Amino acid sequence: MSKGLEKELIKKAMEMTKMSYAPYSGYHVGAALLAANGQIYTGCNIENASYGATNCAERTAFFKAVSEGVKEFEAIAVVGAPADAAAENTFSEYAYPCGICRQVMQEFCKKDFQIIVAKSEEDYQIYTLREILPFGFGGIDQKG
Ligand code: THU
């Protein structure tokens, strides 16, 4: 993937923190998911008073894509920060996908799917799905 595309995904993920609905944790997460067809699907975390009903930013992006018939993916950028910091685009720590989101990635993505965690468009790390979810269970397209 080009550096330009990596930065575009990070920028969109940062923009999505502004859509976050997180009145309980106050932690705003944004994601931008690149599909194999070149389309980018965005997501934010959406909390609920019944906390377990909360949906993470990553899964929001995946479910938007899958619900539109898209099931092949290349990469996802994720950023997160407390509301005030996110509003100022200050992301002082990398926000790693939770275990449930990693399992959703396992369902739809190949082992070399890329996860970009970012503090800024210049400061980011890239991991593969297999790095952050070794020995993953199941998935429609997992061939080792
Ligand atoms: N969150 C995400 O959106 N993605 C993750 O991978 C980790 C956690 C959200 C869920 C909740 O709204 C808030 O961050 C605090 O846990």
Side-chain angles (χ1 to χ4, degrees):
M1 194 182 358
S2 72
K3 285 224 180 311
L5 194 46
E6 290 165 7
K7 288 179 194 302
E8 185 183 347
L9 290 175
I10 293 166
K11 190 172 181 202
K12 283 190 188 299
M14 288 179 172
E15 285 168 8
M16 284 309 290
T17 62
K18 282 67 188 176
M19 307 305 288
S20 166
Y21 176 74
Y24 305 103
S25 74
Y27 191 71
H28 287 204
V29 185
L33 174 64
L34 176 66
N37 66 9
Q39 280 258 97
I40 295 172
Y41 293 86
T42 57
C44 63
N45 56 330
I46 304 170
E47 297 188 346
N48 194 282
S50 177
Y51 297 170
T54 292
N55 207 57
C56 289
E58 298 93 317
R59 277 177 288 140
T60 301
F62 269 95
F63 296 161
K64 282 168 70 178
V66 174
S67 67
E68 293 184 15
V70 174
K71 291 196 250 342
E72 288 181 34
F73 305 103
E74 302 284 341
I76 191 168
V78 187
V79 301
D84 292 359
E88 295 172 352
N89 272 343
T90 302
F91 299 91
S92 55
E93 296 190 338
Y94 299 125
Y96 298 96
C98 80
I100 296 175
C101 289
R102 293 178 198 203
Q103 182 63 26
V104 169
M105 293 173 193
Q106 170 82 12
E107 185 64 34
F108 294 106
C109 303
K110 297 194 170 96
K111 62 185 177 183
D112 60 350
F113 177 74
Q114 295 192 313
I115 294 97
I116 304 169
V117 290
K119 297 182 188 177
S120 71
E121 286 179 49
E122 286 73 42
D123 182 348
Y124 58 89
Q125 306 280 335
I126 304 180
Y127 300 94
T128 65
L129 177 58
R130 199 47 75 239
E131 286 177 310
I132 68 162
L133 185 63
F135 308 109
F137 177 77
I140 56 173
D141 196 20
Q142 296 298 334
K143 298 185 178 69

